[in-house]
Amino acid sequence: MYNEKVIDHFNHPRNVGELSDADGIGETGSFKCGDTMKLYIKVKDDRIEDVSFQTYGCGAAIASSSMLTEMVKGKKLDEAMQITNQDVADQLGGLPPLKLHCSNLAADALHNAIEDYRRKHDQV
Amino acid sequence: MQSRLVYMDHGATTPVRKEVVDSMLPFFHDQYGNPSSLHAPGRKVRQALDEARETTARALGADPEEIYFTSGGTESNNIALRGAAKKQKGGGHIITSSIEHHAVLDVCRDLENEGFKVTYLPVDHYGCIEPEMVKEAINKDTFIISIMAANNEIGTLQPISEIALLAREHGILFHTDAVQVVGQLPVDLHSSNIDFLSLSAHKFNGPKGIGALFMRKGVEINSLYRGGSQERKLRPGTENVPGIIGLGRALELAVSDIPHKKKRLESLRDSLIAGLLQIDDVVLNGHPRQRLPGNINVSFKYIEGESVLLGLDMEGIAASSGSACSSGSLEPSHVLSATGLDHSIAHGSVRFSLGWGNCKEDVDFVLQKAPLIVERLRNISPTYHSR
């Protein structure tokens, strides 16, 4: 059902945990299937200097969160805002169709984290 | 990588025993005749088929003419429920439970769309159906009651004898989906008030794609199919001969093993349950005692069932889950929801179902690995950290 890359991210998730000094925190969830993702970002010079995540969900949810953190580290905020859930799935080499709807929410959490950062830093 | 496979998903399907395969093999190549044919090759197969029917009947305490071979539990359920409904001509009332397998539940929903009235009985938090509620639900239009013998997800055994007796006293047909029970617990149909019973061979170390429906002598339903006269026209079509032979052999072996196997599985089950409950924030789903000998269903709070399955799979442990993500829908299991379990806890459910071949070492292995997987996933989970 899952490809090797998904399994690898599930088995060895990157950037797990809470950033105690996060500049922005974004949360998202699927009410229906219960998945919840929390994304923490540390921003320096308009770039994502550090990122971490916490996820409650299935294998796809964990893998896509982990994948996303790898994709955005070092990215400019505007670039990071362009990343879609589909991009994350593509980077993982694809997810089972059903998972695209319910578990692939990492990019939404990232966007929320960036918006949170911008709100806190009067960039809105 | 992993060095061993610990298969704990016998509720989904079981391996076919070698004796069963051996009994089937001649019917692919040497004894290929059509049992409906007049000639010697046909007659020879007819005789083997008759013997398999006798074996099956004997194992269930039924008469051979009460056994109808089908493709499995789903078809047996459809033949019984739809067939009884078809006989009604113009509506009537059906009583079933809210925790039936979809092969009963969705048939009832379909019949509802066709004008039948259906009562879906609630269950208590153990997943038990209260016979008194069945009694209250009966009305003058009730023509059939269908209650599963044991639930496939949480293993809860239902008070089938009492409910069947109630049905009999009210002149109502009684059907039970017993796919999880046949071969695991003793069944004696002649001393019961059961009119229809569905079973499936692959749940008791028989082949897939073959099952049977017991229909009590004297009960009449309308056939759903048109075709030849096989299975007394209830299930026309050339018989799945190797499957039927395999079913008969598997059932014979399974039933003769019951006294020993039941005790062994119950003991393994109870030690696995006790061990899993040692992990913090784990709840047992289903009844502590009134459950299938091999069924364990627990919820790991703060984590999602499918991720636990995946973690177990990485260690070579095969189990299943009632979580939304593994069910193919977005909803958690209708069974766990019906027991009143909170959605977030239902999402964390994992079923281990034991069978022939599982041993104490398997249980120890799971108990060694599960806590590590749970800890790892909880460490990732935001709901665990904010609990």
Side-chain angles (χ1 to χ4, degrees):
Chain A
M1 184 171 126
Y2 292 133
N3 67 42
E4 274 181 31
K5 197 160 183 186
V6 176
I7 295 287
D8 178 49
H9 275 272
F10 168 77
N11 266 339
H12 311 285
R14 284 61 145 172
N15 309 305
V16 172
E18 198 176 330
L19 285 183
S20 53
D21 53 350
D23 297 315
I25 300 172
E27 216 171 331
T28 190
S30 153
F31 175 74
K32 259 194 140 177
C33 74
D35 283 5
T36 309
M37 292 178 194
K38 211 167 174 181
L39 210 94
Y40 302 83
I41 52 168
K42 186 109 191 78
V43 180
K44 196 178 177 188
D45 301 333
D46 214 38
R47 277 184 196 275
I48 297 176
E49 190 187 44
D50 203 1
V51 55
S52 72
F53 81 94
Q54 289 175 320
T55 290
Y56 165 98
C58 63
I62 292 168
S64 56
S65 310
S66 166
M67 184 75 249
L68 176 97
T69 61
E70 276 203 332
M71 288 165 72
V72 300
K73 214 178 250 189
K75 276 236 164 31
K76 293 191 77 164
L77 293 182
D78 283 342
E79 288 169 359
M81 280 303 276
Q82 302 298 314
I83 293 173
T84 64
N85 290 327
Q86 185 60 50
D87 293 336
V88 180
D90 291 345
Q91 202 67 35
L92 279 170
L95 285 171
L98 190 77
K99 303 290 182 183
L100 287 175
H101 303 291
C102 81
S103 311
N104 184 26
L105 301 164
D108 297 344
L110 170 72
H111 301 161
N112 291 341
I114 294 173
E115 277 161 16
D116 179 55
Y117 164 78
R118 287 180 166 164
R119 224 177 359 256
K120 284 174 181 161
H121 295 79
D122 294 327
Q123 292 188 5
V124 186
Chain B
M1 277 302 278
Q2 69 203 43
S3 53
R4 61 185 288 176
L5 168 69
V6 173
Y7 184 79
M8 290 199 180
D9 201 12
H10 292 84
T13 196
T14 58
V16 184
R17 286 173 74 158
K18 186 172 182 305
E19 303 95 305
V20 173
V21 176
D22 290 345
S23 75
M24 294 170 71
L25 289 177
F27 295 90
F28 287 101
H29 191 257
D30 297 333
Q31 301 196 48
Y32 52 80
N34 187 322
S36 299
S37 299
L38 191 81
H39 46 62
R43 286 201 308 276
K44 215 171 157 191
V45 173
R46 164 65 55 196
Q47 195 190 335
L49 207 137
D50 287 346
E51 281 167 16
R53 198 184 306 277
E54 278 163 30
T55 307
T56 305
R58 205 178 314 124
L60 300 169
D63 284 345
E65 57 269 39
E66 295 175 312
I67 303 298
Y68 299 80
F69 291 113
T70 67
S71 64
T74 296
E75 189 176 36
S76 297
N77 290 338
N78 271 270
I79 291 173
L81 293 169
R82 294 196 141 277
K86 210 173 164 192
K87 181 91 182 153
Q88 287 298 302
K89 295 193 175 66
H93 177 234
I94 300 163
I95 299 172
T96 187
S97 83
S98 50
I99 62 162
E100 295 298 311
H101 189 276
H102 283 290
V104 166
L105 218 47
D106 290 5
V107 174
C108 289
R109 293 213 175 103
D110 239 21
L111 290 170
E112 229 176 335
N113 291 334
E114 291 165 26
F116 290 90
K117 296 268 181 283
V118 181
T119 300
Y120 301 93
L121 294 170
V123 293
D124 66 15
H125 74 284
Y126 291 131
C128 292
I129 292 147
E130 179 55 56
E132 198 56 36
M133 296 193 85
V134 179
K135 201 172 172 181
E136 283 167 21
I138 294 173
N139 67 40
K140 62 175 177 31
D141 296 326
T142 313
F143 65 95
I144 193 165
I145 298 173
S146 177
I147 303 289
M148 68 199 329
N151 184 266
N152 48 309
E153 289 183 34
I154 55 177
T156 305
L157 303 175
Q158 302 299 343
I160 290 306
S161 314
E162 280 176 80
I163 300 171
L165 178 63
L166 264 175
R168 177 59 53 87
E169 286 169 351
H170 287 81
I172 299 165
L173 294 170
F174 181 75
H175 166 257
T176 187
D177 175 351
V179 298
Q180 294 290 335
V181 163
V182 171
Q184 315 298 325
L185 294 169
V187 173
D188 184 25
L189 288 164
H190 277 173
S191 68
S192 81
N193 291 297
I194 295 167
D195 295 304
F196 306 95
L197 177 140
S198 304
L199 65 91
S200 180
H202 75 102
K203 305 290 189 188
F204 49 82
N205 304 100
K208 293 168 182 66
I210 187 77
L213 174 68
F214 158 85
M215 182 168 83
R216 186 174 293 281
K217 247 179 283 179
V219 172
E220 281 181 19
I221 58 172
N222 287 4
S223 178
L224 309 183
Y225 308 116
R226 295 291 172 265
S229 59
Q230 295 91 345
E231 302 304 303
R232 276 140 295 156
K233 296 199 167 186
L234 212 55
R235 211 288 192 173
T238 298
E239 297 87 346
N240 173 358
V241 175
I244 292 170
I245 302 296
L247 183 153
R249 184 75 180 119
L251 186 59
E252 184 180 34
L253 290 167
V255 167
S256 70
D257 277 352
I258 286 176
H260 166 70
K261 183 180 158 187
K262 177 175 177 287
K263 228 171 132 184
R264 204 172 63 83
L265 291 190
E266 280 173 347
S267 147
L268 291 175
R269 173 195 73 188
D270 293 343
S271 50
L272 185 49
I273 289 175
L276 291 169
L277 291 177
Q278 293 283 308
I279 304 172
D280 286 341
D281 295 311
V282 176
V283 292
L284 176 68
N285 298 315
H287 197 281
R289 291 171 311 279
Q290 212 172 296
R291 70 189 303 142
L292 285 168
N295 176 285
I296 295 104
N297 189 312
V298 292
S299 282
F300 299 99
K301 289 188 192 175
Y302 313 116
I303 50 178
E304 200 275 332
E306 195 238 45
S307 64
V308 180
L309 287 194
L310 204 53
L312 290 167
D313 184 42
M314 295 298 125
E315 300 291 351
I317 300 163
S320 70
S321 167
S323 85
C325 287
S326 55
S327 67
S329 74
L330 296 180
E331 303 291 339
S333 131
H334 68 284
V335 176
L336 294 173
S337 299
T339 64
L341 199 65
D342 186 81
H343 269 206
S344 66
I345 301 175
H347 279 302
S349 79
V350 174
R351 177 188 74 174
F352 300 90
S353 40
L354 309 173
W356 200 72
N358 283 132
C359 56
K360 193 181 169 295
E361 286 70 30
D362 293 344
V363 169
D364 293 343
F365 186 69
V366 172
L367 290 177
Q368 181 199 329
K369 297 295 178 187
L372 304 173
I373 294 161
V374 170
E375 191 192 345
R376 183 171 89 74
L377 292 168
R378 281 183 177 162
N379 193 34
I380 304 176
S381 168
T383 58
Y384 181 68
H385 292 286
S386 62
R387 74 192 184 280

